[in-house]
């Protein structure tokens, strides 16, 4: 091995620029940590002429990706360009050329993480992607290092800052979904087309990555059930609050008897739950492991500086592994076959809000129907509605299977006294279940 | 360097036993992480004959500490025996014999951390103590690795499980301090003599360690102002709750203009603060850094398994550093001279509860006095008391200096309408201040 480590960057946007700055400004500290200098060899950019926010020798820039991907002097390829198909191709070629990879690309890892991982292992290369899930929250290292001797039973995450910002505004300031979204857009917390965030897809990608690591099972993006926040009303939040709950978009991963479920869905948390106070654009991941019990990681979740910091700590980890001669072993291949729970194995409490004809016997009919499907009530709220002849009924159930819920919802729809099912949200219970 | 790393243990109690088990059961994983085997060479025990919970070759046991401390075959001394003076002596001798140290001993590090650290640096040895602060919460690594390029402005911790358990019981179940303490003792969360926990000394030791690292300043135990929870009444919690606060024993470290303050004191947190939902025996440390913003680490804080896991991850870090030839550099010596804030530089909001004569002009007199001392009110609650002729007044102030509070408290005592100052607690504001 030569006396220093060379980095090639794919991309020089805000994160890439942050990485270059951190490496330039902390060279001495890096040498202390890893025992040798780290230098930047080549950087792929779209436009060679563009002015840069950081001082870079012009000769380091290239617009040919293969100057990085197949450069014989480069040890570590740092991918901060984004994109999926082309980027996947570059990284596969880099791995085959025995280059280690650090990437911040969540979409790529969610879709092609397994393929990239196995290619990395075949070539004894490291593939690290701490920055892909929640920049500034060291959750991936937490799952792979610290807790590696523990069996993880449950993982819950607030992993999308945009939706958490919107829900916080709706909850604290009483804004409508539409107003909260437009505020988020004005402040730069939501994109002009917010679909991927508000419909839960961004969170689903992160949950696929986290569940794969937590359960050591080849969970794919398609295995994650997704629903977003665009249907949530102020009324839902108000009734939830009355009953002692806070609404969050929760990524939920649970395993029991080596069978897993992974979802992203609006969820009512008891106000005292550690995730209930994670507000605004912040992210947090809560992990329940058999040995260590509950742990939680909380942080900014995004932002170019936290993300660049995560990328640099991945680079440090790769350099250490190179010098220790243990690359390609940090993330082991999935140890367990993928087995997903069926609807009878998924168990939860639900918040159900209904509009019902305000007549004698309506509530009794409803009760009988739930009871016949083995679902009992933990909390009930009944209020008259302004609309004449209708009542609002809010129910929080005890734990029951998804199969039972599906049956009951079907039967409710056939019930003449029920005018409409207004909402149906998962309710987080207490403890590890 | 020989082809494996040898460990010597000082102590074989519950944590030591856990460390031995983890090393025995995860040998293959350890080799994957560090690139060479890790073996146990010698273990200091008090009683050679005692039956052990773990399978150990009898020849590994010794009752002579110098069989470990000066053993030429041992690379890393793992100290899990506790104690201060004698233990300090052993570790200093071990460092001078070029042995790296991993310790779980908070009392020792709080009192003699600086001396041990500088001896370690002189001998190019590592000294790691992740398990000393909050077993299972990787806060020390967070402060030394991940955030190392960031300037930390504020750190707040719930770092004592016993007091957090007691306060949670008082708050949620309405128990008195005495009843909550005896419950904690029955459940094993508090010792027969709970003084060190309930008077805040245990938390102060941990805060000295954390503040030293966070501010890179030689903070000593005596620099930590301490008050405990034994004076807190159910009434305080009730009024706090009415005003939207939750009471926690908070370790508080703040720096501004390179001047620091460190304290442990009962503190009212806004209910929405991330630390407000850290309940029961759990620990959490909240860090505000200039670059990364808010991060929080949450976990069990104690327990033999989490603590042993922290010890083993320190061992892994030392072995990596040994093989990278970068030992003795991980924790740099303090970079800034110790400067503590004076009373005019410490700024906070306070919760003040008073018993006042229920007569015309009493409240006006009180207001005038606070106003004359530049302290204004954010929230006021006045209620009649059962005791005839008295009123209860609860005030939450805006931010003011400790000097102003000291003056106002002195003057209140001279006020004839004020019968008694019942309580005086710090109130945490929002954000980084």
């Amino acid at each position: 091995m030569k006396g220093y480590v060379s980095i090639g960057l794919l991309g020089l946007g805000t994160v890439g620029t942050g990485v270059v700055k951190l490496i330039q400004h902390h060279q001495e500290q890096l040498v202390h940590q890893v025992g040798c200098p780290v230098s930047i060899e080549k950087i792929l950019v779209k436009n060679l002429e563009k002015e840069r926010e950081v001082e870079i020798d012009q000769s380091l820039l290239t617009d040919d990706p293969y100057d990085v991907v197949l450069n014989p002097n480069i040890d570590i390829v740092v991918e901060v360009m984004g994109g999926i198909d082309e980027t996947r191709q570059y990284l596969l070629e880099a791995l085959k050329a025995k280059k280690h990879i650090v990437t911040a690309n969540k979409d790529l890892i969610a879709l092609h993480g397994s393929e990239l991982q196995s290619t990395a292992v075949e070539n004894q290369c490291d593939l690290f992607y701490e920055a892909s899930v929640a920049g500034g929250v060291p959750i991936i290292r937490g799952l792979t290092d610290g807790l590696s001797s523990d069996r993880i039973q449950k993982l819950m995450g607030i992993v999308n800052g945009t939706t958490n910002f919107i829900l916080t505004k709706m909850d604290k300031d009483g804004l409508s979904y539409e107003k909260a979204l437009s505020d988020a857009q004005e402040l730069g917390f939501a994109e002009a087309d917010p679909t991927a965030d508000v419909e839960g897809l961004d969170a689903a990608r992160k949950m696929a990555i986290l569940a794969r690591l937590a359960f050591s099972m080849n969970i794919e993006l398609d295995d994650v059930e997704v629903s977003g926040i665009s249907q949530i009303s102020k009324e839902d939040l108000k009734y939830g609050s009355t009953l002692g709950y806070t609404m969050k978009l929760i990524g939920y991963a649970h395993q029991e008897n080596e069978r897993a479920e992974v979802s992203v869905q609006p969820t009512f948390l008891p106000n005292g739950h550690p995730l209930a106070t994670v507000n605004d654009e912040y992210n947090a991941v809560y992990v329940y492991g058999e040995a260590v019990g509950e742990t939680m990681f909380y942080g900014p979740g995004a932002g170019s500086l936290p993300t660049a910091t995560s990328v640099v700590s991945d680079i440090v980890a790769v350099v250490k592994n190179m010098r220790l001669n243990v690359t390609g072993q940090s993330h082991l291949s999935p140890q367990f076959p993928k087995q997903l729970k069926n609807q009878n194995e998924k168990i939860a409490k639900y918040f159900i809000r209904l509009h019902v004809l305000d007549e004698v016997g309506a509530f009794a009919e409803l009760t009988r129907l739930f009871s016949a499907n083995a679902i009992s009530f933990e909390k009930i709220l009944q209020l008259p509605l302004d609309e004449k002849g209708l009542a609002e009924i809010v129910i929080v159930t005890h734990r029951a299977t998804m199969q039972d819920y599906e049956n009951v919802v079907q039967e409710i729809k056939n019930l003449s006294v029920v005018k409409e099912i207004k909402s149906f949200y998962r309710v987080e219970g207490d403890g590890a279940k």
Side-chain angles (χ1 to χ4, degrees), chain A residues 343-396:
Chain A
Q343 295 301 76
N344 272 319
E345 292 167 314
K346 296 180 196 166
I347 296 172
K349 297 173 17 168
Y350 268 84
F351 169 105
I352 304 167
R353 182 158 75 91
L354 305 156
H355 283 185
V356 174
L357 296 183
D358 195 3
E359 55 182 50
V360 179
F363 190 73
E365 210 169 331
L366 208 58
T367 311
R368 188 195 49 72
L369 196 152
F370 275 91
S371 169
N373 284 285
I375 301 175
S376 58
F377 298 163
E378 185 183 300
K379 295 176 181 172
I380 298 162
L381 203 65
Q382 174 165 352
L383 297 160
L385 271 176
D386 285 346
E387 202 179 333
K388 233 184 134 119
L390 284 185
E392 180 120 68
I393 293 182
V394 179
I395 292 163
V396 175

Side-chain angles (χ1 to χ4, degrees), chain A residues 69-291:
Chain A
V69 169
L70 299 180
N71 188 322
N73 291 328
I74 285 177
D75 305 297
I76 305 173
V77 172
V78 175
E79 189 270 300
V80 285
M81 64 189 274
I84 297 183
D85 293 336
E86 223 181 15
T87 314
R88 163 180 163 274
Q89 199 51 47
Y90 296 153
L91 297 193
L92 287 172
E93 290 184 62
L95 288 168
K96 285 172 190 156
K98 310 285 181 201
K99 295 179 194 325
H100 310 287
I101 308 280
V102 171
T103 174
N105 191 329
K106 134 196 93 242
D107 302 6
L108 179 68
I109 295 294
L111 286 170
H112 302 294
S114 305
E115 180 192 20
L116 287 162
Q117 190 62 58
S118 60
T119 311
V121 171
E122 275 164 30
N123 291 280
Q124 282 192 289
C125 286
D126 274 344
L127 168 71
F128 285 164
Y129 44 86
E130 183 69 70
S132 70
V133 171
V137 186
I139 174 63
I140 297 205
R141 190 134 301 133
L143 289 175
T144 52
D145 288 6
L147 307 168
S148 59
S149 53
D150 199 2
R151 196 68 197 280
I152 292 162
Q153 199 171 348
K154 176 167 154 177
L155 182 151
M156 282 172 40
I158 295 175
V159 290
N160 179 273
T162 306
T163 47
N164 204 43
F165 182 89
I166 293 171
L167 289 175
T168 304
K169 287 287 153 199
M170 290 175 69
D171 188 34
K172 306 281 174 207
D173 303 344
L175 302 187
S176 67
Y177 167 75
E178 290 74 19
K179 174 72 177 118
L181 171 58
S182 74
D183 281 10
Q185 285 170 322
E186 267 174 42
L187 289 164
F189 290 126
E191 295 182 40
D193 176 1
T195 316
D197 289 317
V198 300
E199 296 307 340
L201 183 60
D202 175 82
R205 290 181 186 132
K206 292 167 181 167
M207 287 306 297
I209 296 173
L210 292 177
R212 200 183 289 160
L213 286 171
F215 302 153
S216 196
M217 217 182 257
N218 193 15
I219 304 287
E220 289 168 274
L221 184 54
D222 284 345
D223 299 325
V224 184
E225 284 182 55
V226 188
S227 54
I229 65 163
S230 58
Q231 300 308 313
I232 297 173
S233 70
K234 284 201 282 184
E235 284 69 37
D236 291 325
L237 298 196
K238 191 186 71 186
Y239 291 122
S241 166
T242 305
L243 296 169
Y245 299 112
T246 304
M247 171 70 82
K248 296 288 176 190
L249 183 66
I250 293 291
Y252 178 80
H254 185 260
Q255 71 163 341
E256 204 161 10
N257 306 322
E258 279 161 38
R259 294 167 74 85
E261 72 174 296
V262 188
S263 68
V264 169
Q265 56 183 309
T267 301
F268 276 120
L269 304 170
N271 288 337
H273 194 283
L275 287 171
T277 48
V278 176
N279 286 326
D280 303 322
E281 73 279 16
Y282 276 83
N283 281 200
V285 179
Y286 167 98
V287 181
Y288 185 88
E290 281 172 16

